[in-house]
Amino acid sequence: MADTLDPNAALQSLTGWRVADDPRPAIARTLRFADFNAAFGFMARVALVAEKMDHHPEWSNVYNRVEVLLTTHDAGGVTGKDVELARFIDRAAEQMGAEA
């Protein structure tokens, strides 16, 4: 089992993320894209990496908006896996023209 991090400490190395309003420690980010196709394409890109990491985000999509919540369920909070996936999400979002 991975060691958990204080969500506020995890945010020190991330931009645009916040501590989530969730019963368990988590970090979250809202991203907006040009349209539904761009948002869905972003989700597909992240899904491929998340599957390789065996670490899957909780997320939702409404039109051009993607809400992302990251927590490591088996550890009961935020871990290095969440920070690693958040960094990939940030890079992918920037490359695909997302607005925070």
Side-chain angles (χ1 to χ4, degrees):
M1 187 177 303
D3 291 332
T4 59
L5 306 170
D6 176 295
N8 290 303
L11 296 180
Q12 297 295 322
S13 65
L14 300 171
T15 303
W17 291 83
R18 65 187 181 281
V19 174
D21 294 326
D22 197 79
R24 66 195 167 267
I27 56 175
R29 184 164 186 198
T30 301
L31 298 159
R32 293 188 188 279
F33 294 85
D35 55 25
F36 176 76
N37 286 335
F40 195 82
F42 163 79
M43 292 177 75
R45 186 171 177 187
V46 172
L48 294 171
V49 170
E51 184 65 17
K52 286 181 185 175
M53 290 177 67
D54 192 28
H55 190 61
H56 307 94
E58 292 182 35
W59 55 10
S60 64
N61 165 239
V62 176
Y63 182 57
N64 69 337
R65 188 181 75 240
V66 178
E67 301 277 346
V68 183
L69 182 109
L70 298 177
T71 188
T72 304
H73 295 275
D74 60 352
V78 177
T79 68
K81 279 184 148 184
D82 299 299
V83 174
E84 181 181 350
L85 185 55
R87 287 183 182 139
F88 175 78
I89 287 169
D90 290 346
R91 287 191 306 274
E94 181 180 346
Q95 291 168 355
M96 297 182 79
E99 298 176 15

